[in-house]
Amino acid sequence: MDHHVKLPEGSIERQTTTLNLGPTHPATHGVFQNILELDGERIVSSEQTVGYIHRAFEKLAERRPLYQITPITDRLNYCSSPINNMGWHITCEKLLKIKTPKRVDYLRVIIMELSRISDHLICNSIVGVDSGAYTGFLYVMQYRELIYEIYEEICGSRLTTNIGRVGGFERNFNATAFDKLEKFLREYPKVLKEFGDLFTRNRIFMDRLQNTGGISAERALNYGFTGPNLRAAGVDYDVRVHSPYSSYEDFEFSVPVGKTGDNYDRFLVRDQEMWQSLSIIEQAYKKVQAFKGAEAEVYHADVPEFYLPKKEDVYTKMEALIWHFKIIMGETAIPKGEVYQSVEGGNGELGFYFISDGGRTPYRLHFRRPCFIYYQAYGELTKNGMLSDAIMTMSSLNLIAGELDA
Amino acid sequence: MAITNSYIQEKLTEKFGEQVTSFEETYDMLSFESPKEINLKVLQFLYDEPTLSFQFMTDLTAVHYPDQIGRELAVVYHMHNLVDNVRLRFKVFTDVNTPDVFTATKLFEAANWMERETYDFFGVNFVGHPNLKRVLNVDEMDYFPLRKEFPLEDQTRIDKDDEMFGRG
């Protein structure tokens, strides 16, 4: 028997609801506004508004010498600031034609892969949180903490790291840093395994993520996807492999790819990438340990025009003080030129398009921010899906407002 | 077989003749420019030609050169051939008074927001763009902040103590 109330034809109009998701919403983990047209809980169409934390980094950079731009890059994807910092330093080195010693490259690789792990860890555990599983997030947080402690030993700060210099690092890694790295390598695999066990084959989690927010490889490429989001769609493009920087060609690792490009595949790709990163860190650490004698003390390239002198010399020696000021004020000559350098950031290809006119500051500096480019697809990814799936799509895309808005 | 920069240059000159100019190789990347009227033809050719197939748009932005009269704004495309792993840089110049450049959104969805951003900061009018409005700045803004005439800090501000800023 039909229990539905029969209304006369034309007495009720089918209508959609407009819902503002954001700008500040606890489930979006950042400042994003989405104006959704909803039919019940189904999304008919959506419009994205961004720019709430726009800070005009590209304009600021036109007034800043090289070292003053490093802290700006911290604030792009702040879940993996060291990658941004090093990407910027590598860009400068490319323009200045500086060759960094192998040990510097390997140390950089260690730090960059640690940041990749911390970035993916946050993203994947947030996917868990948004689907109702808080435990994983709290559990892995102590290992992100350990990574931050390693940063602290090297550069003194944690989140916005401002790590390194043009040509290398500000100081050699101390024993504590290596001890903590060893502790990480020893304990983290078990944690990552448990974290995977908690989610990967969890029926509730799978049902929640599979077949939501999917994209085909063609569409993903057309939308300019890069990083784990592109690889989840089945394209094995990785900047570390295609255009190696910082001696990534010396390492053995594989590039995990997905198939459907949906939320579940994105989760799996990030999970597998963390294992690959772990293996890269192990290899890099072995290579670092293999340096003997004077070579084992190298932590920067010999470029006195761009590498800041030691602090104790700056305080006590006239020449060091002069160089310190010259470098900080950007009084050392930079060649004219245009250079594009990209690194594999936490969420995709982070590019720096640096135009120098030979002045103390960049004539123009443009950041290719992966987030900004792939967030365009959000409307297409969530169309005709449920509102609750749109939330999962947002967290599994790894959107970072700082990078999106620059 | 990886394609070389000289091969790309040869192919482009064969197709467009005198219209593609300023070929140079800086830091291993080939860079060239064309008149703004044929920017889509060039992009389409780079996309379709099977031996080139630059089918991934890495980046799109603009640069303002106020001293180059008649060609003040450069729209810069970074294209990537993912199969052979070759990148190139393609520029079109436009004057700042009629900054009309055809949109690449029909070819690349990625260009949508990147063109909006370029419009937002440089005022380049992408002809044919489906939704050309500001993306990062507020809609009410009436200037294009990344142009060089727009100062980073207003030097005439009087609400700051000059002595603190070395202007005493």
Side-chain angles (χ1 to χ4, degrees), chain A residues 285-343:
Chain A
Y285 185 42
K286 275 209 191 82
K287 286 177 197 282
V288 167
Q289 281 175 317
F291 289 109
K292 293 280 176 274
E295 270 199 323
E297 298 300 316
V298 176
Y299 59 94
H300 65 89
D302 186 23
V303 276
E305 300 93 342
F306 296 97
Y307 183 84
L308 285 171
K310 275 202 180 111
K311 229 358 174 237
E312 46 272 36
D313 292 349
V314 173
Y315 287 140
T316 52
K317 296 192 179 97
M318 197 61 209
E319 199 184 359
L321 180 68
I322 292 171
W323 273 112
H324 182 89
F325 270 101
K326 275 179 82 111
I327 294 168
I328 290 290
M329 303 307 287
E331 296 298 323
T332 42
I334 304 173
K336 276 187 187 183
E338 282 185 28
V339 37
Y340 177 83
Q341 168 70 42
S342 56
V343 293

Side-chain angles (χ1 to χ4, degrees), chain A residues 47-48 50-51 54 58-60 62-63 94-97 219 221-226 235 237 239 242-243 335-340 342 349 353 355 363-364 366 368-369 372-373 375-376 404-405, chain B residues 26-27 29 47 56-66 76 78 80 82 85 87 89 91 107-114 117 121-122 133 135-137 145-148 150-153 155:
Chain A
E47 196 192 332
Q48 288 72 44
V50 298
H54 171 60
E58 292 177 9
K59 190 75 182 178
L60 286 176
E62 289 176 12
R63 282 272 291 264
K94 189 169 178 180
L95 182 82
L96 301 166
K97 298 202 164 80
R219 290 301 285 164
L221 282 172
N222 203 256
Y223 265 118
F225 274 46
T226 43
V235 183
Y237 173 60
V239 185
H242 277 68
S243 330
K336 276 187 187 183
E338 282 185 28
V339 37
Y340 177 83
S342 56
E349 175 174 345
Y353 178 37
I355 303 181
Y363 183 77
R364 168 104 173 88
H366 176 69
R368 182 212 191 263
R369 308 172 321 271
F372 180 75
I373 295 170
Y375 187 47
Q376 301 179 58
L404 190 73
D405 292 348
Chain B
T26 52
Y27 298 92
M29 197 189 275
Y47 191 101
F56 188 80
M57 177 176 270
T58 304
D59 194 27
L60 189 164
T61 189
V63 191
H64 187 207
Y65 299 100
V76 186
H78 279 90
H80 197 166
L82 290 173
N85 192 26
R87 292 174 191 268
R89 184 182 297 133
K91 296 180 183 176
L107 265 167
F108 302 99
E109 292 281 359
N112 191 324
W113 281 21
M114 292 198 265
E117 189 190 22
F121 288 101
F122 291 91
K133 56 179 193 183
V135 61
L136 292 180
N137 289 310
L146 268 171
R147 286 191 183 170
K148 291 287 178 189
F150 183 76
L152 186 66
E153 183 190 9
Q155 298 294 324

